[in-house]
Amino acid sequence: MGNLLAAAGRFDTNWLVSTALSSSCLTDGANVPITAWGIAYCHGNRLESLRVHRAREMANEFTRLAEIKTDMLGFYLHEHSELPSPRLVQPFFRREAGLNWAFCHMGTIRHPERLIHPARAPDGPDPSELFFMYFLDHFKADQPIESIQAMLTQLTEEPELSCVMMSPDMMIVAHWVKEGEGHSFKLWQGKGELVRIFTSLPSFEIPGVEWNEVANHSVTVIFRERRAIG
């Protein structure tokens, strides 16, 4: 399982990611990740990405975060130091109905064969990407919370379903784990006047931001255009 950082609102990308990673043991002395990592972020009406899968590229690529100006992002830090291909680095990407979508999954899919759908096929072998396809199959833009809750409720044999999906229009954060079987982990939400942050990393101090644990079996949707939060 990797670590997630997602944010919407007003923030400095480089400062936010570096501050969050300061609480992680997966960085070097300069606070640069030592494991594979990826980021999805909104740039105007587009969703852009940067995914790093090899150790020798991590320091140089991490400096590019200073160039990213955005009001919505999803950052994923893998447990593994290197991955065979950038396609295996989360967030995963998909273009559907004229929009780019990014997806991060915090956990392991135990029964991937039950998520297979002929309408969509993943680009790689990671079962988490198969979960992404399943998520898109059941997601309804006009009923985002209700459709996601109904889908996750049906996957009773999967204990780790917490995830984030985002497009240039919205961000969806679901915290969904089976309790009492060693699969439960903390997801934190930071609320400020102009920013909302979600992270599985230990909560870190930001002036004006208050932290609370995200309730299990909850779905939050943030609409980017009008900053409405449900």
Side-chain angles (χ1 to χ4, degrees):
M1 182 184 298
N3 281 291
L4 167 82
L5 172 68
R10 294 186 183 179
F11 54 85
D12 178 272
T13 302
N14 186 54
W15 180 86
L16 179 64
V17 174
S18 296
T19 302
L21 292 181
S22 66
S23 62
S24 170
C25 62
L26 300 176
T27 61
D28 63 14
N31 212 25
V32 173
I34 57 174
T35 62
W37 58 271
I39 185 172
Y41 60 95
C42 293
H43 181 71
N45 61 358
R46 303 194 309 273
L47 194 63
E48 306 284 352
S49 69
L50 177 61
R51 295 189 282 182
V52 182
H53 70 294
R54 293 184 293 196
R56 66 174 180 268
E57 300 172 349
M58 291 178 188
N60 288 337
E61 293 296 330
F62 195 72
T63 61
R64 293 177 57 187
L65 295 185
E67 304 169 4
I68 295 176
K69 309 298 180 184
T70 185
D71 58 0
M72 186 177 288
L73 67 78
F75 180 90
Y76 192 87
L77 184 65
H78 284 264
E79 289 183 317
H80 303 290
S81 58
E82 293 197 358
L83 294 172
S85 166
R87 286 190 174 186
L88 298 176
V89 178
Q90 298 193 48
F92 300 116
F93 277 78
R94 192 80 168 193
R95 187 167 181 82
E96 295 284 338
L99 284 178
N100 285 330
W101 293 90
F103 184 86
C104 298
H105 172 224
M106 293 164 286
T108 301
I109 296 297
R110 303 300 201 275
H111 304 282
E113 70 281 357
R114 300 180 186 179
L115 302 181
I116 295 174
H117 192 286
R120 293 183 175 92
D123 293 329
D126 193 328
S128 289
E129 190 177 12
L130 190 62
F131 178 36
F132 180 21
M133 301 298 99
Y134 189 89
F135 205 97
L136 287 170
D137 282 333
H138 293 80
F139 171 69
K140 297 179 181 179
D142 60 339
Q143 294 182 307
I145 294 178
E146 295 82 358
S147 62
I148 294 167
Q149 287 177 330
M151 174 199 62
L152 296 177
T153 299
Q154 294 174 2
L155 297 176
T156 56
E157 296 185 8
E158 294 294 345
E160 299 170 348
L161 296 173
S162 294
C163 58
V164 171
M165 188 169 77
M166 60 183 287
S167 74
D169 297 331
M170 68 173 69
M171 173 182 286
I172 302 151
V173 181
H175 185 38
W176 209 278
V177 295
K178 184 177 292 186
E179 297 176 333
E181 296 187 11
H183 305 293
S184 183
F185 70 98
K186 305 290 187 183
L187 185 65
W188 300 96
Q189 177 179 207
K191 289 184 179 180
E193 183 178 359
L194 299 174
V195 68
R196 183 72 65 92
I197 304 167
F198 297 88
T199 184
S200 59
L201 293 160
S203 55
F204 47 94
E205 183 153 353
I206 298 179
V209 172
E210 294 185 0
W211 292 95
N212 293 284
E213 185 178 343
V214 177
N216 192 16
H217 295 172
S218 66
V219 178
T220 301
V221 178
I222 301 177
F223 296 97
R224 183 175 174 232
E225 290 184 347
R226 56 183 185 271
R227 297 281 187 275
I229 300 174

